[in-house]
């Protein structure tokens, strides 16, 4: 089993060292690489990353210095540098537990799915790691996305997922590549892309602040109409 792990971060100096350590513990005897993409952090994350580079031979770091921070573009930069055919995306805030990675790879192999999602059941279950506002907003966005594109997953806004690199390679010119929801961008680029959910428990963010705000929700809505236009115009 081999996998490239993409971790886009912004101001995660208090979390990233522990996350890399947890990944190593969970994936022992596996061949993997970690690509951390730092999106212009200003909290001292760079110093931590330089130290980690000296400790881990299978770690790469990309320092983005664009004026506008963008998780999707950070992920894109990571995808371009991957070595393996399977790519896993996860957040750097410790809410995504690395213990699920091997299970996600196993599910992909057994089901031959194009994407395996570490999913939250935001519709039927109260997720304690989310505020009431975030879960309420997510509930209606999920319903709206499923209505527009058809249901492929219970959590189209998850930031924790495994996918086959060929999906990106074959479709990158058609991607929206803006905002914080790269999964939906990849998943709805082609109706034939198959998806399997692995319902998991999301951990609490221990340190730092959530990045969700109204601007992110606005960009997500722009993506929905962008992808809908692509379908109606026959581009995808």
């Amino acid at each position: 089993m081999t996998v490239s792990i993409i971790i886009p971060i912004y101001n995660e100096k208090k979390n990233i060292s522990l996350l890399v350590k947890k990944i190593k513990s969970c994936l022992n005897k596996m061949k993997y690489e970690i690509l951390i993409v730092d999106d212009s952090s200003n909290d001292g994350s760079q110093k931590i990353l330089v130290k980690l580079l000296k400790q881990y031979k299978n770690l790469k770091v990309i320092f983005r210095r664009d004026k506008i921070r963008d998780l999707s573009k950070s992920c894109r930069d990571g995808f371009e540098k991957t070595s393996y055919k399977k790519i896993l995306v996860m957040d750097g805030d410790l809410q995504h537990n690395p213990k699920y990675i091997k299970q996600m790879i196993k599910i992909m192999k057994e089901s031959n799915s194009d994407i395996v999602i570490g999913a939250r059941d935001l519709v039927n279950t109260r997720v304690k790691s989310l505020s009431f506002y975030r879960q309420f907003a997510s509930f209606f966005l999920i319903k709206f996305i499923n209505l527009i594109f058809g249901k492929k997953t219970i959590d189209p806004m998850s930031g924790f997922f495994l996918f086959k690199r060929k999906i990106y390679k074959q479709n990158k010119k058609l991607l929206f590549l803006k905002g914080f929801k790269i999964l939906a961008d990849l998943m709805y680029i082609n109706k034939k892309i198959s998806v399997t959910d692995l319902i998991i428990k999301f951990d609490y963010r221990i340190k730092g602040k959530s990045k969700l705000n109204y601007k992110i929700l606005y960009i997500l809505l722009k993506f929905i109409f962008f992808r809908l236009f692509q379908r109606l115009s026959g581009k995808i």
Side-chain angles (χ1 to χ4, degrees):
M1 294 193 296
T2 58
V3 64
S4 298
I5 301 171
I6 307 296
I7 308 174
I9 70 164
Y10 173 69
N11 288 352
E12 296 290 357
K13 75 171 187 177
K14 297 179 180 179
N15 298 316
I16 194 61
S17 294
L18 181 56
L19 176 57
V20 173
K21 186 177 180 180
K22 282 188 173 185
I23 291 172
K24 181 180 180 182
S25 176
C26 292
L27 301 188
N28 63 355
K29 298 182 180 180
M30 254 190 70
K31 193 172 182 179
Y32 67 95
E33 63 179 357
I34 301 173
L35 294 92
I36 299 174
V37 187
D38 178 71
D39 201 355
S40 302
S41 294
N42 55 23
D43 68 337
S45 293
Q46 299 168 30
K47 293 182 179 179
I48 302 297
L49 294 173
V50 170
K51 290 181 180 179
L52 290 174
L53 280 170
K54 297 177 182 178
Q55 297 176 35
Y56 298 93
K57 294 181 179 179
N58 60 343
L59 174 67
K60 301 175 185 178
V61 176
I62 300 171
F63 294 102
R64 294 189 77 246
R65 291 297 173 263
D66 288 359
K67 292 182 180 179
I68 300 177
R69 292 188 294 107
D70 193 294
L71 182 141
S72 289
K73 289 184 175 61
S74 292
C75 288
R76 183 271 316 275
D77 291 350
F79 298 163
E80 290 289 341
K81 301 293 184 181
T82 53
S83 302
Y84 303 124
K85 293 181 180 180
K86 296 183 183 70
I87 300 176
L88 182 125
V89 177
M90 66 189 304
D91 290 346
D93 57 10
L94 298 176
Q95 292 191 84
H96 300 154
N97 196 320
K99 71 179 182 180
Y100 295 109
I101 295 175
K102 282 188 175 180
Q103 191 175 352
M104 293 166 78
I105 295 172
K106 183 179 179 182
I107 290 172
M108 176 172 281
K109 183 178 180 181
E110 292 177 349
S111 66
N112 198 30
S113 297
D114 295 308
I115 302 176
V116 176
I117 300 172
R120 306 158 295 180
D121 189 354
L122 297 172
V123 174
N124 300 307
T125 305
R126 176 74 180 97
V127 180
K128 295 181 180 179
S129 60
L130 294 179
S131 67
F132 174 79
Y133 157 71
R134 285 193 62 179
Q135 183 152 355
F136 182 78
S138 296
F139 172 85
F140 283 100
L141 282 169
I142 288 170
K143 290 288 188 181
F144 184 55
I145 290 171
N146 287 340
L147 177 65
I148 296 294
F149 300 119
K151 185 176 180 180
K152 283 193 174 188
T153 171
I154 62 170
D155 192 4
M157 295 184 293
S158 175
F160 188 27
F161 60 94
L162 175 73
F163 72 101
K164 296 177 180 177
R165 186 175 61 181
K166 66 179 182 180
I167 295 173
Y168 169 73
K169 292 291 186 181
Q170 293 171 356
N171 300 290
K172 60 182 180 180
K173 292 183 179 180
L174 295 170
L175 293 172
F176 183 64
L177 285 178
K178 295 178 184 177
F180 280 64
K181 302 302 175 184
I182 186 68
L183 170 61
D185 203 1
L186 291 165
M187 182 169 50
Y188 296 117
I189 198 70
N190 189 318
K191 292 181 180 180
K192 294 182 180 179
I193 290 174
S194 58
V195 178
T196 300
D197 284 339
L198 170 64
I199 299 178
I200 66 174
K201 179 182 177 182
F202 274 54
D203 296 330
Y204 284 96
R205 166 183 272 277
I206 299 173
K207 297 178 180 179
K209 297 181 180 180
S210 171
K211 313 299 189 299
L212 184 70
N213 56 38
Y214 290 109
K215 182 179 178 181
I216 294 169
L217 295 177
Y218 169 70
I219 294 174
L220 177 59
L221 289 172
K222 283 182 66 176
F223 156 74
I224 292 172
F225 288 107
F226 169 81
R227 185 53 42 80
L228 182 60
F229 174 78
Q230 283 181 313
R231 287 195 173 185
L232 294 174
S233 63
K235 291 183 178 180
I236 60 173

